[in-house]
Amino acid sequence: MSGGTGVVRTHGLTKRFGHVTAVDSVDLDVREADVYGFLGANGSGKTTTVRMLLGLVLATSGQIEVLGSSMPAAGREVLPQVGALVEGPAAYPHLSGRANLALIDATGPGGDRRSRRRRIGEALDRVGLASIDDRAVRAYSLGMRQRLGLAAALLRRPRLLVLDEPTNGLDPQGINEIRTLLLELNREGTTVFLSSHLLGEIEQMCTRVGVLDGGRLVLQDQLSALRGPTGRTEVHTPDVDLARSLLDGTVEEHGDGRLLVRVPDVAELNARLVAQGVRVTLLAPEHRSLEEVVLEATTSGTDRFGREAGTP
Amino acid sequence: MATELSKLFRNRRTWATIALIDALPTLVAVLLALTDPGPRPGTGPAFLSAVLTDGTLFPLAALALVLPLFLPIAVAITAGEAIAGEAQQGTLRYLLIRPVGRTRLLVAKLGAVMVFVVVTVLVVAVTAYVVGVLLLGDQTVTVTGPTTSVSGTAMSTPELVGRTALAFGYAMVCMLGVAAVALFFSTIAQSPLGAALGAMMLLVASTLLLPLDAAEALHPYLLTRHWLAFVDLFRDPILWTDVLRGVLVQAGYIVVFLGAAWANFLTKDITD
Ligand SMILES: Nc1ncnc2c1ncn2[C@@H]1O[C@H](COP(=O)(O)OP(=O)(O)O)[C@@H](O)[C@H]1O
Ligand SMILES: [Mg+2]
């Protein structure tokens, strides 16, 4: 495993609501500069975990450490360095977006008054709301509210961003913008903890993945390690039949313009194909998809993981 | 606290409530001015008969008018909304992760409710004074002109002002009791309406039990039992017993319900 200090660590984190065990001895390990993807089907306990990290829900048992201090005891020191979006944005509906940000900035520590206007402007700019007018938030679309919530999370330039399903309610273009923004923030040094039930979203932007299934953390590793090579080589060619007859015995799977071959020497394979007039359009090591890894680790069926936005 | 105040007073509903409360005594003043003679002495709300002879006394009559029903309901709604309203809106979780300490938030909310009461009472008093003088006439044109106490003896203006201040202070303590009850319900209810209803049920129950002889054992402890005791502050000499009892009962409610609200809110899972 690669180095880096712990930004979020939990040990045996458990939460029971009556008879329901929502979160079951979870050991999270999020490191500095990670984009950590917290993946889980609906009802798997993502939001409950996030709420415990932030001190909103009190754990039944287990320890939580955020930015090196114990939560919820050290909330006063820790939380000003954390920006969060928990289960959807919230705002005072009768106030404008700007007024909402000013109000939230004025509550609690760390919202320096003199720089407030500038920071609000910057945050709105970052989330793509620079041109909002004085309309009350009541009139905002869900997408705009989501962006406003994100702007509120960015007001104090947090070291850690905890985002629970931040792309809910956004259109594909909005999702793309948010993804770009988060990667940009991450490059500037912000650790991002992102929960989602969308595999594709996590696969596209995270460096590290934790998978929650029925309240248990069934998988946690670097995405690159999870998506390790399978040892097979993927060959794309319009001449599938010719290639198959040439590579008889080493072809493990084949399909529409595509073969999966197990050979020790890929360079030799390429030379052989080209020499025999097979037109190769792509030759690459096969990687496991995150979907395969996740399905292997979880007991739940495929249908519980949405592949794309809009299909939960 | 400052942000709580700004939230409360930037909400149009707050001002609508104040205006509504203010409308009642104004209406009564108009009616009194139009219908002559008014209620016979000894009947009707306190001070109403005295008011007919002196419009400057009308603020006190106004207080007696709004204290039993309008003001406590407004307080129940405002305090009931304090926590449950933020929770329903989803803003509670964002407040708490700023972070705002849970104890601090409760205190700030209570403080804001009390400022709301002060503003409301002041608005009512000022309006009532103006309306009273305009519609019911001003006996005390000269500053030293005597006013009669409820007991029939003369009272000087400074004394009257002092006693009026005492009466408004007493009303504040009563409303603090209501606020404590509503704040408690606000920490347990799912919705602000539920919290306000909870507090109002207690008010209504207390009001209903008062005339009931069978509930006599409960009477000394009822929330609304001594509310109108502020009238005693205008007797000569001042009749302190009921006022003091009233303060004690309110203090009891404040301690018990604020304590319960605090204990509940401090250990509560914020899941909305
Ligand atoms: N306040 C609550 N009371 C009882 N059960 C709850 C409560 N909050 C969440 N749960 C249960 O805990 C489980 C996890 O919920 P949640 O953390 O919201 O999952 P996710 O965010 O992954 O969709 C669910 O089974 C849910 O029913
Ligand atoms: Mg959730």
Side-chain angles (χ1 to χ4, degrees):
Chain A
M1 290 200 187
S2 60
T5 46
V7 172
V8 177
R9 276 176 200 281
T10 67
H11 183 68
L13 187 60
T14 301
K15 179 66 193 184
R16 274 188 281 276
F17 293 108
H19 297 296
V20 183
T21 304
V23 176
D24 193 358
S25 20
V26 164
D27 298 339
L28 283 178
D29 177 19
V30 181
R31 296 135 185 216
E32 182 123 41
D34 271 350
V35 179
Y36 187 101
F38 197 40
L39 182 64
N42 287 321
S44 58
K46 303 181 297 292
T47 301
T48 305
T49 307
V50 164
R51 284 179 186 273
M52 284 192 283
L53 296 182
L54 299 171
L56 291 170
V57 163
L58 305 176
T60 307
S61 62
Q63 285 96 49
I64 307 170
E65 215 178 79
V66 178
L67 294 169
S69 306
S70 158
M71 279 297 284
R76 283 177 63 90
E77 292 76 46
V78 172
L79 290 174
Q81 307 175 61
V82 179
L85 205 54
V86 188
E87 210 164 38
Y92 299 98
H94 57 283
L95 298 177
S96 72
R98 258 173 229 282
N100 261 286
L101 291 185
L103 195 59
I104 197 80
D105 196 60
T107 50
D112 174 50
R113 198 193 182 106
R114 278 160 307 163
S115 62
R116 185 168 298 153
R117 270 184 76 90
R118 182 176 51 77
R119 284 181 298 114
I120 288 175
E122 281 172 8
L124 286 173
D125 204 26
R126 287 211 102 150
V127 298
L129 282 180
S131 56
I132 52 163
D133 45 29
D134 287 337
R135 261 188 313 163
V137 171
R138 194 185 290 123
Y140 281 24
S141 68
L142 180 56
M144 285 172 79
R145 284 172 205 231
Q146 197 79 10
R147 287 163 196 258
L148 186 66
L150 203 53
L154 295 177
L155 274 180
R156 286 182 299 196
R157 304 191 136 267
R159 279 174 63 195
L160 168 66
L161 267 180
V162 178
L163 308 173
D164 186 25
E165 314 250 8
T167 55
N168 269 0
L170 290 179
D171 52 25
Q173 194 202 332
I175 293 179
N176 226 324
E177 283 173 33
I178 296 300
R179 187 184 304 143
T180 312
L181 166 64
L182 294 184
L183 291 176
E184 196 177 289
L185 287 164
N186 181 247
R187 237 174 290 126
E188 293 164 17
T190 312
T191 307
V192 180
F193 180 95
L194 172 82
S195 94
S196 176
H197 65 277
L198 301 173
L199 238 155
E201 190 168 285
I202 301 273
E203 192 163 23
Q204 273 182 38
M205 61 182 301
C206 296
T207 56
R208 202 171 152 74
V209 179
V211 179
L212 210 53
D213 182 35
R216 299 186 134 268
L217 193 66
V218 291
L219 200 66
Q220 180 171 246
D221 209 338
Q222 300 296 121
L223 183 64
S224 54
L226 291 174
R227 298 201 48 202
T230 57
R232 301 196 295 189
T233 305
E234 198 172 342
V235 181
H236 286 199
T237 170
D239 313 316
V240 174
D241 291 335
L242 179 59
R244 273 184 66 203
S245 59
L246 264 174
L247 304 172
D248 194 31
T250 58
V251 178
E252 297 192 347
E253 272 174 54
H254 64 90
D256 196 22
R258 181 168 172 269
L259 303 112
L260 290 168
V261 188
R262 192 176 292 277
V263 289
D265 188 347
V266 177
E268 189 269 338
L269 169 73
N270 190 24
R272 191 141 53 101
L273 288 170
V274 173
Q276 297 299 322
V278 176
R279 293 167 292 167
V280 176
T281 52
L282 180 121
L283 194 70
E286 186 204 25
H287 280 274
R288 301 204 298 163
S289 74
L290 184 60
E291 186 177 10
E292 286 165 355
V293 181
V294 167
L295 285 180
E296 217 167 276
T298 55
T299 52
S300 48
T302 346
D303 53 316
R304 290 183 56 204
F305 284 97
R307 290 289 299 153
E308 285 155 76
T311 51
Chain B
M1 174 85 192
T3 55
E4 287 310 324
L5 285 177
S6 109
K7 266 186 232 169
L8 193 59
F9 286 100
R10 272 155 83 182
N11 200 336
R12 228 175 301 155
R13 200 176 43 204
T14 307
W15 291 106
T17 312
I18 294 178
L20 246 142
I21 296 172
D22 204 27
L24 177 71
T26 311
L27 179 71
V28 170
V30 172
L31 289 178
L32 282 180
L34 292 179
T35 60
D36 210 27
R40 272 167 290 118
T43 68
F47 291 107
L48 270 194
S49 45
V51 159
L52 287 177
T53 56
D54 185 1
T56 56
L57 263 184
F58 195 60
L60 286 168
L63 186 64
L65 276 170
V66 297
L67 194 58
L69 201 63
F70 266 42
L71 201 53
I73 286 178
V75 170
I77 291 173
T78 312
E81 190 162 84
I83 302 295
E86 299 264 8
Q88 198 183 45
Q89 244 168 25
T91 41
L92 179 61
R93 56 176 184 268
Y94 290 108
L95 272 180
L96 293 181
I97 62 173
R98 274 302 286 178
V100 177
R102 294 189 185 197
T103 308
R104 236 183 108 142
L105 185 61
L106 268 186
V107 171
K109 288 288 186 189
L110 186 67
V113 172
M114 289 325 286
V115 172
F116 164 77
V117 175
V118 172
V119 170
T120 308
V121 167
L122 280 180
V123 170
V124 167
V126 169
T127 323
Y129 183 83
V130 173
V131 171
V133 170
L134 283 181
L135 296 178
L136 304 169
D138 178 5
Q139 229 183 32
T140 54
V141 186
T142 53
V143 192
T144 48
T147 307
T148 45
S149 75
V150 180
S151 312
T153 52
M155 238 191 292
S156 70
T157 301
E159 207 182 336
L160 187 66
V161 168
R163 291 186 185 205
T164 306
L166 264 177
F168 278 86
Y170 182 70
M172 295 295 300
V173 175
C174 294
M175 290 308 106
L176 194 59
V178 180
V181 172
L183 201 59
F184 166 69
F185 281 113
S186 193
T187 65
I188 56 169
Q190 300 284 341
S191 73
L193 188 65
L197 280 178
M200 279 191 248
M201 294 282 257
L202 199 88
L203 281 173
V204 170
S206 168
T207 314
L208 288 182
L209 287 177
L210 270 183
L212 212 66
D213 288 338
E216 213 178 325
L218 288 175
H219 284 178
Y221 310 106
L222 291 177
L223 182 63
T224 56
R225 170 70 178 84
H226 301 285
W227 277 6
L228 290 180
F230 78 90
V231 178
D232 293 349
L233 293 169
F234 296 89
R235 297 187 201 284
D236 224 7
I238 295 179
L239 239 154
W240 286 105
T241 25
D242 272 1
V243 173
L244 290 181
R245 266 194 213 134
V247 169
L248 269 179
V249 170
Q250 299 305 315
Y253 274 89
I254 292 165
V255 168
V256 169
F257 279 90
L258 273 192
W262 179 75
N264 178 48
F265 189 52
L266 221 62
T267 53
K268 195 186 179 191
D269 283 335
I270 310 297
T271 55
D272 12 39

